[in-house]
């Protein structure tokens, strides 16, 4: 645990410093994106924050490759460097989009290329975790295509949710922390000699990099992560999920209480549930009116929260709370009996649903109806007597 935390702190420190440098560079060169009608800010802000997140990830990965215990992850294993290569490519694509506003199909080609780099030289799905038995993927091409598709989906999901100051970074921190604790606990309690794990390292680094960036990105934001940062986080989270899913057949999850096969499925989707939900709703909403799924609008979940009466900060905190319920609700399945966890999760989700809808319900609640003439006269008489 100590080494993973040190890598997390390394990523946080470098990310904070590099984001500060990206702020200065963006402001000096006036690398601002134009303010759009759907934006929630009214002043020009640089979108070079992805450089800070990438710097934190890169530094922590290089340090880890030379550090006690975690360097075992790199021994005879090219996967971490494959993930780094894909991350580098997606940051370049994201920066180009942030500065030049690429066409959606050009960006999709770039996303697909980065995902394929990870799938070919990095991590790769070898198992589809179905119930009652996982299905082994024996065809290499199918494995690569499924992995790339999952990574592209996660990248777009995080990119779509990045619409309020601190939102995407905070969701990454909370979800990544739950993922990190799960991956660490599974390996810590498993009867194996080498307990180092790439998924644990990746999630630790994601959390650290997002923490360093968030200090600059909290409302009112001084810098945005841009497409480069959001897509980078999505790529790293998806890569960690692929690594965890591939460990099902190893027996590592057999010690989990209750339905062990579903744990690797549950947690990645629980962590990414809000981004994936926002992505799915956006695709349905836009295609229903004949628009491209990648065309921008002001209909995301965070926009809806502000529309019903939540402030900018309150909307972000509410999304944080939902992420906590979903991510740590999924984590609890690893530790406690699933029957107890399911009951608590349903209760927590019900409470959150009421809290989320409260401004809408309050405004829609019927007020006192019009008073009768007799009631008005009685009130006037009472006032005269006083």
């Amino acid at each position: 645990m100590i080494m993973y935390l040190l890598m997390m702190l390394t990523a946080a420190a470098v990310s904070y410093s590099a984001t500060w440098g990206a702020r200065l560079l963006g402001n000096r060169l006036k690398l601002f994106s134009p303010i759009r009608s759907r934006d929630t800010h009214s002043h020009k802000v640089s979108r070079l924050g992805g450089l800070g997140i990438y710097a934190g990830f890169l530094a922590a990965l290089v340090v880890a490759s030379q550090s006690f215990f975690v360097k075992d992850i790199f021994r005879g294993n090219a996967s971490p460097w494959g993930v780094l290569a894909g991350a580098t490519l997606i940051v370049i694509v994201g920066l180009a989009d942030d500065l030049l506003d690429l066409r959606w199909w050009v960006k999709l080609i770039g996303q697909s290329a980065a995902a394929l780099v990870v799938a070919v030289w990095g991590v790769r799905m070898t198992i589809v975790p179905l119930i009652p038995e996982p299905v082994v993927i024996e065809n290499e091409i199918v494995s690569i295509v499924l992995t790339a598709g999952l990574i592209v989906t996660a990248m777009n999901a995080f990119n779509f949710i990045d619409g309020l100051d601190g939102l995407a970074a905070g969701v990454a921190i909370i979800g990544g922390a739950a993922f990190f604790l799960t991956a660490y606990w599974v390996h810590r309690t498993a009867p194996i000699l080498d307990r180092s794990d790439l998924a644990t390292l990746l999630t630790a680094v994601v959390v650290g990099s997002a923490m360093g960036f968030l200090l600059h990105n909290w409302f009112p934001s001084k810098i945005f992560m841009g497409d480069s940062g959001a897509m980078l986080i999505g790529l790293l989270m998806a890569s960690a999920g692929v690594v965890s899913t591939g460990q099902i057949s190893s027996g590592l999850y057999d010690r989990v209480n209750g339905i062990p096969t579903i744990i690797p499925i549950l947690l990645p989707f629980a962590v990414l549930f809000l981004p994936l939900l926002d992505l799915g709703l956006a695709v349905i909403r836009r295609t229903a009116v004949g628009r491209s799924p990648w065309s921008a609008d002001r209909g995301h979940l965070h926009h809806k929260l502000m529309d019903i009466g939540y402030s900018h900060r309150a909307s972000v905190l509410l999304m944080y709370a939902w992420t906590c319920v979903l991510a740590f609700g999924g984590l609890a399945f690893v530790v406690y009996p699933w029957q107890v966890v399911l009951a608590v999760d349903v209760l927590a989700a019900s409470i959150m649903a009421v809290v989320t809808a409260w401004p809408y319900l309050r405004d829609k609640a019927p007020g006192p109806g019009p008073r009768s003439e007799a009631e008005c006269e009685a009130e006037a008489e009472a006032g005269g007597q006083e």
Side-chain angles (χ1 to χ4, degrees):
M1 175 65 81
I2 293 177
M3 293 307 301
Y4 289 123
L5 293 179
L6 286 176
M7 296 307 105
M8 187 184 297
L9 290 175
T10 299
V14 174
S15 176
Y16 177 82
S17 302
T19 302
W20 182 77
R23 279 177 54 192
L24 295 181
L25 177 65
N27 293 338
R28 177 165 297 183
L29 299 180
K30 300 186 183 301
L31 299 177
F32 306 125
S33 297
I35 299 176
R36 302 156 298 188
S37 59
R38 68 180 186 275
D39 289 333
T40 57
H41 61 284
S42 57
H43 60 288
K44 292 183 177 180
V45 180
S46 170
R47 295 179 181 272
L48 298 184
L51 288 176
I53 299 174
Y54 174 75
F57 164 67
L58 174 62
L61 200 68
V62 172
V63 171
S65 69
Q66 303 300 317
S67 299
F68 170 73
F69 177 68
V70 288
K71 68 180 180 181
D72 294 340
I73 299 171
F74 299 81
R75 184 177 294 121
N77 181 18
S79 294
W81 306 119
V83 174
L84 174 60
T88 303
L89 180 55
I90 201 59
V91 167
I92 294 173
V93 173
L95 284 174
D97 186 49
D98 291 329
L99 298 177
L100 305 176
D101 194 18
L102 301 176
R103 299 289 295 272
W104 68 266
W105 57 269
V106 176
K107 185 164 66 173
L108 182 60
I109 291 174
Q111 292 174 340
S112 301
L116 285 171
V117 168
V118 175
V120 173
W121 290 287
V123 298
R124 188 182 303 172
M125 287 187 67
T126 56
I127 292 176
V128 177
L130 299 178
I131 298 175
E133 293 293 334
V135 177
V136 178
I137 304 175
E138 298 180 352
N139 187 292
E140 185 178 12
I141 301 300
V142 173
S143 175
I144 291 174
V145 171
L146 286 177
T147 303
L150 175 63
I151 293 174
V152 169
T153 301
M155 286 192 290
N156 280 293
F158 259 99
N159 197 21
F160 277 36
I161 204 175
D162 181 30
L164 298 180
D165 295 355
L167 178 55
V171 168
I173 292 170
I174 297 169
F179 210 151
F180 166 74
L181 291 173
T182 302
Y184 173 79
W185 185 89
V186 167
H187 280 77
R188 183 69 180 83
T189 58
I192 54 177
L193 296 178
D194 182 8
R195 290 177 175 152
S196 60
D197 173 50
L198 179 57
T200 311
L201 176 62
L202 287 177
T203 49
V205 172
V206 167
V207 170
S209 299
M211 288 173 61
F213 170 77
L214 184 59
L215 296 175
H216 299 272
N217 186 236
W218 185 247
F219 181 81
S221 178
K222 302 177 182 64
I223 189 171
F224 296 148
M225 69 170 60
D227 283 12
S228 59
M231 292 192 297
L232 172 61
I233 290 175
L235 181 144
L236 296 178
M237 294 289 281
S239 298
V242 170
V243 174
S244 295
T245 302
Q247 295 168 346
I248 295 174
S249 62
S250 66
L252 290 179
Y253 287 87
D254 291 344
R255 295 170 64 87
V256 174
N257 292 307
I259 46 181
T261 305
I262 204 173
I263 300 302
I265 316 170
L266 177 66
L267 192 59
F269 281 99
V271 168
L272 295 172
F273 180 79
L274 284 182
L276 289 173
L277 175 63
D278 197 28
L279 172 64
L281 292 176
V283 171
I284 294 173
R285 181 176 65 250
R286 294 165 184 174
T287 55
V289 294
R291 297 172 56 190
S292 166
W294 282 270
S295 61
D297 61 15
R298 200 181 182 282
H300 293 286
L301 294 177
H302 46 272
H303 291 138
K304 295 301 182 182
L305 291 176
M306 296 183 70
D307 289 344
I308 66 173
Y310 283 102
S311 66
H312 190 123
R313 287 181 179 176
S315 298
V316 171
L317 292 175
L318 191 63
M319 296 285 276
Y320 285 179
W322 268 112
T323 305
C324 282
V325 170
L326 295 168
F328 286 94
L331 168 61
F333 279 105
V334 180
V335 183
Y336 301 104
W338 70 268
Q339 298 91 337
V340 176
V341 175
L342 182 61
V344 174
D345 284 354
V346 170
L347 176 61
S350 300
I351 294 173
M352 282 301 304
V354 174
V355 172
T356 302
W358 180 250
Y360 177 82
L361 298 175
R362 179 193 58 202
D363 293 341
K364 292 296 182 179
R371 294 180 298 175
S372 65
E373 184 176 348
E375 290 175 332
C376 293
E377 292 177 354
E379 182 178 345
E381 293 177 0
Q385 292 174 358
E386 293 177 359

